[in-house]
Amino acid sequence: MSRIETLIASMTLAEKLGQLTMTASSFTVTGPVIAGDSTESIRSGAIGNLLNMVGAGPVRELQRLAVEESRLKIPLLIGLDIIHGHRSLFPVPLAEAGVFDPVLWEATAREAATEGAADGLALTFAPMLDVSRDPRWGRTVEGSGEDSWLAAQMAVAKVRGFQGTDLAAPDALAACAKHFCAYGPVTAGREYASVDISERTLHEVHLPPFAAAVRAGVATVMPAFTDLAGIPMTAHTPLLRDWLRVRCGFDGVIISDYNAIRELLNHGVAADLPQAAALALHAGVDIDMMADGYRHGLPVALERGLVSIEQIDTAVTRVLHLKERLGLFADPYGRCRTLESAATITRRRALARRVGAQSLVLLKNGHDVLPFRKSLRRLAVVGPLAEAAGEMRGPWWAAGVPDNHVSVFTGLRTALPDTTMLYAQGVTIEGNDTEGIAAAVALCDQADGILLCLGEAAVMSGEAASRVNLGLPGQQDALASAVLARARTLRKPCAVVLFCGRPLTVPQLVADSDAVLVAWFPGCEAGHAVADVVLGRVSPSGRTAISWPRFVGQIPLFHSERRSGRPANPADKFTSKYLDSPNEPLFPFGHGLTYGRFRYSNLRLSAPALKVRDTLEVRVDLTNEGRSAARETVFVFTHDVVASVAPPLLQLAGFARLELAPGETGTVSIAVPATQLKILDPDLAPVFEPGVVEILVGPRADRADLLVGAVELQAG
Ligand code: NOJ
């Protein structure tokens, strides 16, 4: 018998259910804490998994209780939400997506895993793979934006980064693909609300990133809190069992979300905890996070005949197998290492600075206001996000502490030792007090450059942070218009930096400003990263991975929408448009300027026709006609001209980056496998339909900016 079989043979029911139970320490709380003190429960084997605890010392102590003082000596599995870094935070995922570099995506996850594992952790609840086309939804910040194919690319990089090449290595974390699935389209962007989308959208948009994560070997999956057309994901047998386990072959561990099994009662699909537990177990949920539904519900469910002991054993086997794969039996303390070296931390922070700078998106740069001259004598840094180190963490800061973060003011002061730095907060992020605006405006008179730092607080995005107004909160608009007006009158260079976890609806601010730089939440090196870009040490290269609406009323807004039978025509009232807003976003997917100026030419396709096994090579020349070296991100979109199902206007199919000096010309080459051009036919079966597909190449999802070629798909 294998170790696992032997263990299962000797386990009591309570010990088995302990292995299916995950309970929280009080380090981070995102829901009701039901389980109380876990010490005795670990000793008795009633709890086999923990979340939300940090630190090699405490982890070692609890692990010791499990492997030395419990009867079966089974190590604990301990997890935390390491979303964009552990102690050293990187940019939030939405920002990092905009770097469009799988190597960097993987590198930051690797660093986060190394740091988290050194703190005793073996599991992270990341990456979040929910596609979001609704920025009202606060969790938009946790994912890679509006595009499903992009989410799949990022899924693969993140799973690789967190898990490394060997899950048993002391610096590897089990990743968790969450939230399965279609959490993004919650009704009206309201957190936890019901989801009701078509089967087609489910299969075209929301499932592919999870399929990619499974192919990449993700160790665990977490169902979403939400219901999908009335079936809560925690109990969704067709998707969890039939699609995920059977069709995709996922044989890892499914971990419920926080208290989600008990919440099946609130959903109204279970009358009591035993029934809720039975529903989840049937669907294939192995670990119950924080509901105590398995521990208290499954014994009754067994008596009622709602579940079988074989089902429980299957779940226990999966959990023990994961612990084995993580090397926890071999060395339960392997991840509880002492402090990392200063050199390691320095290297990690250097990466955070590099990725941070590359994630900033320059939305607008009229009169080439940015970069600021380094010879500025006096620089005014104004606004509620200017000296706000803690906010730079963004939501989900794991073990990142405010003191470990660099504010914009500090970053600029460090970069400009000879410049007199002026600071005024003006207003708070959300408050109504406008008294400080006059002092902020007065600073403009003294300065010869102004940086206005505005946006959301970190906690205004993330879980339980939906908003219906996506403008600047509090009195920031008043501050902005006063400062921008003064700067204009004085003809002083003034740039806006926006911190946010989602696109904001700020058309007026954009119209009134010469330059707008979106910093999202850049993490621990925020201030240095912003300084690098604002002062031109780094040319901005980040692209927005989500469309920026002008008005909340345009949501959902995304580049891959279908054309409709009445595409917008300004000359025809009866076409698809608004009376009071353009259809187009303020900034489309992929938008982001650099300090260079790129001309695209000479689009070449490797073949005029493709069969399903072929790969299309898309090549385009770029010339940097600007005065600064810069890195350009090039996108390939496809558009099926005629298909059995109305095709999306643009579909992302590839991207590449190229760095060019002023005057230099280079070529990018992007491979598009023909299988990627398959569509789901009217019965949702993947097919390679013969016909013409347009290949569009350029800097953003706006047809006007794209070079167009075409290729013919041929059967056979
Ligand atoms: C609830 C969140 O939905 C999930 O993303 C997270 O992993 C868990 N809480 C654990 O913190």
Side-chain angles (χ1 to χ4, degrees):
M1 280 213 282
S2 70
R3 178 202 339 243
I4 293 177
E5 286 163 343
T6 313
L7 272 173
I8 290 185
S10 59
M11 286 168 111
T12 62
L13 177 61
E15 284 166 335
K16 288 178 181 174
L17 299 180
Q19 291 306 309
L20 306 187
T21 297
M22 178 174 273
T23 200
S25 83
S26 52
F27 186 80
T28 309
V29 176
T30 58
V33 179
I34 294 162
D37 178 27
S38 356
T39 315
E40 205 31 58
S41 313
I42 293 171
R43 244 190 223 117
S44 70
I47 288 178
N49 313 285
L50 290 172
L51 80 151
N52 293 353
M53 71 166 313
V54 164
V59 168
R60 182 179 283 274
E61 174 50 19
L62 292 188
Q63 204 59 285
R64 193 191 63 73
L65 288 179
V67 299
E68 292 179 25
E69 297 191 16
S70 76
R71 189 175 78 89
L72 295 171
K73 312 199 176 334
I74 301 173
L76 296 165
L77 169 66
I78 304 180
L80 180 74
D81 291 275
I82 297 178
I83 307 296
H84 54 108
H86 179 57
R87 291 184 190 275
S88 314
L89 297 180
F90 298 100
V92 289
L94 184 61
E96 214 196 347
V99 170
F100 285 97
D101 186 341
V103 174
L104 286 180
W105 294 336
E106 185 173 334
T108 57
R110 189 85 288 279
E111 290 296 338
T114 307
E115 207 174 46
D119 244 345
L121 300 163
L123 164 69
T124 174
F125 305 113
M128 185 189 95
L129 306 181
D130 299 301
V131 173
S132 174
R133 294 165 171 189
D134 189 337
R136 291 174 296 185
W137 188 50
R139 306 200 80 166
T140 299
V141 68
E142 295 177 49
S144 58
E146 72 188 39
D147 190 80
S148 172
W149 184 77
L150 174 61
Q153 308 309 302
M154 204 153 154
V156 172
K158 288 296 175 192
V159 170
R160 280 197 195 136
F162 286 130
Q163 298 193 168
T165 48
D166 175 11
L167 212 47
D171 61 358
L173 295 182
C176 179
K178 74 182 190 185
H179 307 84
F180 183 79
C181 62
Y183 189 178
V186 277
T187 302
R190 179 164 32 87
E191 181 64 306
Y192 310 130
S194 186
V195 173
D196 205 342
I197 55 170
S198 70
E199 276 286 300
R200 173 166 298 283
T201 301
L202 177 67
H203 285 271
E204 278 182 355
V205 177
H206 297 284
L207 288 174
F210 289 92
V214 172
R215 284 195 298 274
V218 71
T220 75
V221 169
M222 181 188 288
F225 281 127
T226 37
D227 76 273
L228 181 57
I231 307 187
M233 285 311 308
T234 305
H236 208 303
T237 305
L239 282 172
L240 286 176
R241 192 192 61 194
D242 304 344
W243 188 85
L244 185 66
R245 291 227 190 261
V246 179
R247 191 156 147 199
C248 295
F250 176 68
D251 60 359
V253 171
I254 299 183
I255 307 177
S256 85
D257 204 343
Y258 203 108
N259 198 38
I261 293 179
R262 193 176 289 267
E263 287 166 20
L264 292 176
L265 274 69
N266 294 345
H267 278 286
V269 298
D272 58 14
L273 203 53
Q275 197 190 352
L279 284 174
L281 191 71
H282 267 301
V285 176
D286 302 304
I287 294 184
D288 165 1
M289 181 195 286
M290 288 307 287
D292 257 354
Y294 279 1
R295 271 208 298 166
H296 300 313
L298 284 184
V300 183
L302 261 178
E303 276 167 27
R304 287 189 200 158
L306 296 177
V307 295
S308 66
I309 192 68
E310 288 73 29
Q311 285 179 297
I312 293 176
D313 287 352
T314 302
V316 176
T317 304
R318 288 198 199 105
V319 173
L320 295 181
H321 184 55
L322 176 60
K323 292 184 176 185
E324 203 164 55
R325 284 181 69 204
L326 282 162
L328 290 167
F329 282 102
D331 182 4
Y333 308 115
R335 287 179 176 75
C336 306
R337 278 166 291 140
T338 42
L339 282 179
E340 297 181 287
S341 72
T344 302
I345 294 167
T346 306
R347 182 178 42 78
R348 190 170 293 138
R349 289 194 73 113
L351 178 65
R353 180 169 182 165
R354 189 150 65 92
V355 182
Q358 291 188 28
S359 69
L360 306 194
V361 179
L362 184 60
L363 291 179
K364 179 178 180 185
N365 196 19
H367 311 300
D368 289 338
V369 164
L370 288 176
F372 283 163
R373 285 174 294 112
K374 284 183 208 76
S375 55
L376 287 177
R377 280 181 307 119
R378 279 190 219 88
L379 176 63
V381 188
V382 174
L385 272 307
E387 186 55 303
E391 301 297 339
M392 301 296 107
R393 297 180 297 171
W396 284 125
W397 46 72
V401 292
D403 283 356
N404 204 19
H405 288 69
V406 182
S407 72
V408 175
F409 184 78
T410 303
L412 283 162
R413 195 184 48 200
T414 312
L416 296 170
D418 301 327
T419 300
T420 303
M421 298 291 298
L422 310 168
Y423 163 71
Q425 187 190 33
V427 296
T428 60
I429 295 176
E430 290 187 84
N432 274 326
D433 190 347
T434 51
E435 254 177 42
I437 293 181
V441 172
L443 272 198
C444 300
D445 297 27
Q446 300 169 36
D448 41 15
I450 302 141
L451 197 67
L452 193 46
C453 300
L454 307 171
E456 297 182 300
V459 293
M460 293 177 75
S461 60
E463 188 180 349
S466 291
R467 296 178 67 202
V468 293
N469 296 310
L470 299 184
L472 287 170
Q475 293 297 325
Q476 295 187 63
D477 276 327
L479 172 69
S481 51
V483 168
L484 290 168
R486 189 71 190 144
R488 207 174 310 117
T489 309
L490 298 170
R491 293 176 187 278
K492 298 209 171 156
C494 178
V496 173
V497 185
L498 284 179
F499 295 87
C500 45
R502 53 162 68 83
L504 299 176
T505 49
V506 285
Q508 197 55 51
L509 177 76
V510 170
D512 291 348
S513 313
D514 282 331
V516 180
L517 180 68
V518 183
W520 314 103
F521 293 109
C524 62
E525 288 286 311
H528 295 316
V530 170
D532 285 344
V533 168
V534 164
L535 301 175
R537 287 188 185 152
V538 173
S539 172
S541 58
R543 303 306 185 92
T544 180
I546 186 164
S547 306
W548 281 60
R550 296 159 199 269
F551 303 104
V552 169
Q554 289 177 291
I555 294 170
L557 183 62
F558 52 98
H559 68 278
S560 57
E561 77 164 301
R562 295 193 156 84
R563 195 155 176 250
S564 89
R566 294 187 171 191
N569 172 1
D572 185 350
K573 175 171 166 59
F574 296 97
T575 56
S576 177
K577 54 188 164 57
Y578 299 102
L579 293 177
D580 52 356
S581 164
N583 285 2
E584 289 71 35
L586 190 57
F587 298 106
F589 173 90
H591 178 72
L593 306 173
T594 71
Y595 293 152
R597 194 155 39 82
F598 289 90
R599 186 166 56 80
Y600 286 65
S601 62
N602 203 12
L603 171 63
R604 283 101 78 199
L605 305 180
S606 57
L610 283 183
K611 293 207 165 71
V612 71
R613 278 185 204 83
D614 296 341
T615 291
L616 181 70
E617 206 62 47
V618 180
R619 290 160 71 82
V620 69
D621 296 338
L622 264 67
T623 304
N624 182 354
E625 295 181 336
R627 276 174 300 176
S628 304
R631 183 186 295 114
E632 176 75 345
T633 304
V634 179
F635 297 101
V636 174
F637 298 97
T638 60
H639 171 240
D640 215 336
V641 179
V642 175
S644 57
V645 174
L649 282 170
L650 292 174
Q651 189 130 32
L652 183 63
F655 55 80
R657 307 198 307 166
L658 181 67
E659 208 166 331
L660 291 177
E664 202 184 347
T665 296
T667 302
V668 295
S669 175
I670 299 173
V672 180
T675 47
Q676 220 175 292
L677 303 176
K678 283 186 178 176
I679 62 161
L680 298 183
D681 75 5
D683 299 320
L684 300 181
V687 287
F688 188 70
E689 276 190 3
V692 176
V693 170
E694 286 182 324
I695 306 293
L696 305 100
V697 180
R700 60 184 66 80
D702 182 344
R703 212 167 234 277
D705 294 325
L706 298 169
L707 298 180
V708 188
V711 66
E712 192 180 331
L713 306 192
Q714 293 178 344

